Amino acid sequence: RVVVPDVVVLVVTGLSAWWVLAASYGMDLRDTLARMFHGWDWVLHIIMFTDVYRYGRLAGLEIEDSPAFLSSNPQLHPALWSVGTWSGQSSTGTMPGESLLQAGILATAMTFALCLGALAWVTADLVTAIVGRSRRQVPAAVGAAITGIVCILGAGSAIFFFGHTPFLLGVTALVVGSYLSVHPLRDGRPPTPLRSMVVLAAAAVVIVLEWPPLVLGLGLAGLLAAVRIVRGHRKETIALGVLLALLVVTTPWWYARLTGSVTIASLSDAAGAVTRFSLPMTVAAVLVTVAAAAALFTHGDHGRATGVLGPVVGMLAFAALLILNGSRWWGDPPSYYLLKTLLGCLVAATPVVVAVLV
């Protein structure tokens, strides 16, 4: 049976890909460079994409007296699509530079489109929970469509054209992972502990390899899963305890492996603007998300309440950590990673805001 919201989600994904590719793909080299590389993140991500394609790793680059600047990035940050591009090539030779640039743009556009489609799906499901299943299709479809429009015409297009798509992938993995890990089953029962653990683990792997601080957003969903496990599933409790113990013991080593010399202090000191970031809009979106989560919790939907609130709370916690280390959202230039984290809050809150308004 054709479900209208699912069709709309597919349309949103397709239109998102068309939107960004129509403005960036297939042009001559000079136009491509002029259009795409006014965002400095694009430059670094294309270099990283090329590194992984040619060498299978981030080779590193010295920028502003920071040795191995690129090699300190999480390995999945540019690698996901470059591995696919590399695996699809024949053994007769490597892709020439201009074609590799176009391949990087195409891969980034596909990532961007899939992220927007995933966020549109979360919106549609939230609308279903709010209005009820008996009359869900039209409102859910409208919510998914509005999410796509808002993301494409709003901050979403700036995220793509200024090179922040890898960050968007991390935020989307956080939003979808947190939401799915606590999403009720078809019969309304809470998800099984095993399902929650698998979803959270998969999301954590993607996030840590993409933009490590975002993993804090899985905390609330993980806590809810742990509470349910402890209440009545002895074997899963033991497994969770072992998993958490391994995580605590190995976190310092993994952090050092994934981020090299990157520290909270260095992230706090990094300066730079984030295009189309609006602090008032972000604050309003966060407040709406908190209110929506409280309403869902009051009505007994503890899973969805936790799923939508967790990502925002986690990113706000990291933003607070940056502020305590000296980051500021004002000044010229402002603190880059603080603004980027708050932009992530806005993206994570978008499905909730749209669902409430619909």
Side-chain angles (χ1 to χ4, degrees):
R1 186 167 67 92
V2 176
V3 181
V4 177
D6 293 343
V7 174
V8 173
V9 168
L10 292 176
V11 171
V12 166
T13 304
L15 287 178
S16 302
W18 172 82
W19 174 269
V20 293
L21 285 176
S24 60
Y25 186 73
M27 301 179 291
D28 62 48
L29 181 60
R30 181 177 298 179
D31 289 340
T32 299
L33 293 175
R35 181 68 62 87
M36 305 308 300
F37 285 3
H38 56 273
W40 65 272
D41 258 11
W42 253 114
V43 180
L44 300 182
H45 291 150
I46 287 296
I47 293 173
M48 288 188 276
F49 182 92
T50 305
D51 272 1
V52 176
Y53 170 75
R54 288 179 171 169
Y55 311 117
R57 60 184 176 84
L58 297 182
L61 179 69
E62 292 188 6
I63 296 180
E64 296 181 356
D65 299 323
S66 178
F69 179 82
L70 297 182
S71 62
S72 67
N73 277 268
Q75 293 295 304
L76 193 62
H77 199 59
L80 190 62
W81 289 102
S82 45
V83 170
T85 303
W86 170 80
S87 64
Q89 301 306 305
S90 65
S91 59
T92 58
T94 59
M95 187 183 295
E98 184 175 350
S99 297
L100 188 56
L101 173 62
Q102 294 289 350
I105 293 173
L106 178 60
T108 305
M110 294 299 101
T111 305
F112 176 81
L114 290 172
C115 289
L116 263 57
L119 294 173
W121 176 85
V122 172
T123 303
D125 192 82
L126 275 173
V127 172
T128 298
I130 293 172
V131 305
R133 292 186 174 274
S134 60
R135 51 190 182 91
R136 66 180 181 174
Q137 290 214 22
V138 173
V142 171
I146 292 176
T147 299
I149 293 170
V150 167
C151 289
I152 291 173
L153 299 181
S157 60
I159 286 174
F160 176 82
F161 287 109
F162 283 84
H164 304 322
T165 301
F167 173 70
L168 176 64
L169 177 58
V171 174
T172 304
L174 169 60
V175 171
V176 175
S178 176
Y179 192 75
L180 282 180
S181 70
V182 293
H183 191 278
L185 303 177
R186 288 183 178 274
D187 58 6
R189 290 181 298 134
T192 62
L194 180 60
R195 170 181 154 174
S196 296
M197 289 176 63
V198 169
V199 172
L200 287 171
V205 169
V206 174
I207 293 167
V208 168
L209 293 175
E210 186 64 44
W211 219 77
L214 294 175
V215 79
L216 293 172
L218 294 176
L220 284 183
L223 180 61
L224 180 61
V227 168
R228 287 174 174 168
I229 289 171
V230 171
R231 281 181 175 176
H233 301 81
R234 184 172 179 274
K235 292 182 179 179
E236 287 87 348
T237 302
I238 295 174
L240 180 66
V242 172
L243 182 64
L244 290 176
L246 287 173
L247 183 63
V248 170
V249 171
T250 60
T251 289
W253 182 82
W254 276 111
Y255 185 84
R257 285 280 294 178
L258 291 168
T259 61
S261 59
V262 177
T263 64
I264 294 295
S266 64
L267 293 178
S268 301
D269 292 339
V274 174
T275 303
R276 293 193 188 178
F277 170 75
S278 170
L279 183 61
M281 187 178 296
T282 302
V283 171
V286 168
L287 292 177
V288 170
T289 301
V290 172
L296 288 169
F297 194 89
T298 301
H299 287 82
D301 198 343
H302 299 168
R304 283 191 179 89
T306 304
V308 300
L309 187 61
V312 172
V313 170
M315 283 185 278
L316 287 178
F318 182 65
L321 189 59
L322 291 175
I323 292 172
L324 289 175
N325 278 271
S327 287
R328 296 292 181 266
W329 59 78
W330 61 88
D332 187 21
S335 299
Y336 174 73
Y337 285 102
L338 175 60
L339 294 188
K340 205 166 184 180
T341 303
L342 294 176
L343 176 64
C345 287
L346 179 59
V347 172
T350 297
V352 185
V353 174
V354 173
V356 169
L357 293 179
V358 170

